[in-house]
Amino acid sequence: MTTNAPSTLVMAGTGKTGRRLVQTLRAAGRHARAASRSGEVRFDWSRRDTWRPALAGASAVYLLAPEDPALATDFVTQAVDSGVGRIVALSGRGIDRVGDFSPGMVAAEEAVRKSGIEWTIIRPNNFSQNFSEDLFRQPLLDGRLALPMGATPEPFVDAQDVADVAATLLTSPGHHEQVYDLSGPRALTFDAAVATIARVSGRSIRYVELTPEEYHAELLAEGYPAETATALNALFAGMRAGHLAEPTGGVRRVLGRDPLDFDTYAARAAAAGAWS
Ligand SMILES: NC(=O)c1ccc[n+]([C@@H]2O[C@H](COP(=O)([O-])OP(=O)(O)OC[C@H]3O[C@@H](n4cnc5c(N)ncnc54)[C@H](OP(=O)(O)O)[C@@H]3O)[C@@H](O)[C@H]2O)c1
């Protein structure tokens, strides 16, 4: 690679969307580097000395928000100083309506809007992969997923769709100053999602409805910090209120195709051994 060849720094390049984005960009012949504490490029939000070396040579950045909102503007400023010309920022659907569940995301959105370079913000619904690679996996393996969600449906979005959208936004013109809400093609209740996973995995799993207070107590008992329990309850309150429940056309607007369905996700994850 020459020093001025386009290169994307993929933050959280070991995570659910970042890992897929690195693979997607590379499959398209693009240069991409995975940055995180354990990634091929060392980057740690809490270690400012890792920021500038990670940014060296990057023409574009896939930005995941820091937990600490105070860091967002400093990082974006350093990125611009380092020669980054485009940022695609991963935010969350409903960030403007669900309240205070992620101050870091609010700060990151604001920082990229003010950056003076090309920017696009993506705001996905909950990832389908939360059931196979994150918070909901162990409860499913234990046979009981318990949440304060009620009967409000959620149009879960596949992390591969988020990665495909991000890859297009990072490499194609025409998306400057755009904000895309990204969802799956249909909304389903957590009860229905659990039933689908029980069917494709052949496991006995039930969904249990909790009050927000019961959920908070269960998270503390599982060892989550109080602030995480509070943030998750704020997220579920917004979801319960229906702020994220309608499917959006964001994936189709960017990719010209429908998003992946939850049934497809569940069948693929089961075949890959997610719940074996
Ligand atoms: N999950 C969802 O349904 C969903 C939906 C919408 C938006 N989001 C947002 O997407 C973002 C990522 O969520 P995710 O669920 O995709 O995460 P994830 O898969 O759990 O990945 C987290 C990533 O962050 C990296 N990381 C953690 N601490 C770090 C630090 N101090 N410095 C640098 N990198 C660090 C991790 O890598 P290392 O451990 O190697 O550092 C990992 O690559 C969050 O901002 C979340 O709010 C998530």
Side-chain angles (χ1 to χ4, degrees):
M1 191 189 70
T2 60
T3 48
N4 57 0
S7 177
T8 298
L9 184 73
V10 177
M11 300 178 68
T14 56
K16 286 186 287 300
T17 62
R19 195 175 70 245
R20 291 173 170 86
L21 175 58
V22 169
Q23 288 167 358
T24 302
L25 287 168
R26 288 181 181 163
R30 305 286 183 157
H31 191 266
R33 296 177 300 141
S36 77
R37 294 167 304 179
S38 66
E40 55 196 16
V41 174
R42 175 122 196 286
F43 176 87
D44 187 338
W45 279 111
S46 65
R47 292 279 313 273
R48 282 176 183 259
D49 58 322
T50 64
W51 295 9
R52 202 168 285 282
L55 284 163
S59 53
V61 168
Y62 177 62
L63 174 66
L64 268 75
E67 274 179 33
D68 179 354
L71 302 179
T73 300
D74 286 356
F75 178 77
V76 170
T77 302
Q78 274 202 23
V80 175
D81 287 350
S82 301
V84 169
R86 183 179 294 192
I87 295 181
V88 172
L90 176 69
S91 182
R93 181 144 177 231
I95 187 81
D96 48 343
R97 305 183 66 192
V98 171
D100 201 19
F101 80 87
S102 178
M105 270 186 194
V106 174
E109 283 206 5
E110 201 175 304
V112 300
R113 287 174 194 275
K114 291 181 178 161
S115 64
I117 59 173
E118 287 187 52
W119 61 263
T120 312
I121 292 168
I122 52 178
R123 292 174 169 173
N125 271 85
N126 280 275
F127 304 150
S128 301
Q129 279 74 9
N130 291 344
F131 291 94
S132 46
E133 301 175 21
D134 205 327
L135 191 63
F136 306 146
R137 179 168 179 266
Q138 190 55 48
L140 292 173
L141 294 177
D142 295 339
R144 173 186 179 272
L145 179 63
L147 297 169
M149 192 50 205
T152 311
E154 168 75 8
F156 301 101
V157 63
D158 198 295
Q160 186 59 55
D161 281 336
V162 178
D164 287 349
V165 166
T168 297
L169 301 177
L170 285 159
T171 56
S172 309
H175 302 286
H176 177 41
E177 296 184 348
Q178 298 297 307
V179 179
Y180 293 104
D181 282 351
L182 305 177
S183 81
R186 72 187 162 103
L188 65 165
T189 62
F190 272 81
D191 202 6
V194 167
T196 300
I197 291 169
R199 177 171 49 77
V200 296
S201 65
R203 302 179 79 93
S204 171
I205 316 170
R206 65 198 172 101
Y207 174 77
V208 175
E209 183 64 26
L210 298 180
T211 65
E213 295 73 24
E214 289 168 337
Y215 183 52
H216 191 93
E218 286 208 1
L219 287 170
L220 294 190
E222 287 165 26
Y224 287 94
E227 57 271 26
T228 304
T230 301
L232 282 168
N233 247 328
L235 174 63
F236 277 105
M239 290 164 65
R240 241 182 358 257
H243 294 319
L244 290 63
E246 278 296 313
T248 73
V251 171
R252 171 162 279 288
R253 274 172 65 208
V254 177
L255 299 178
R257 65 157 174 82
D258 286 332
L260 296 164
D261 188 73
F262 192 83
D263 283 356
T264 307
Y265 150 75
R268 287 181 183 170
W275 303 292
S276 299

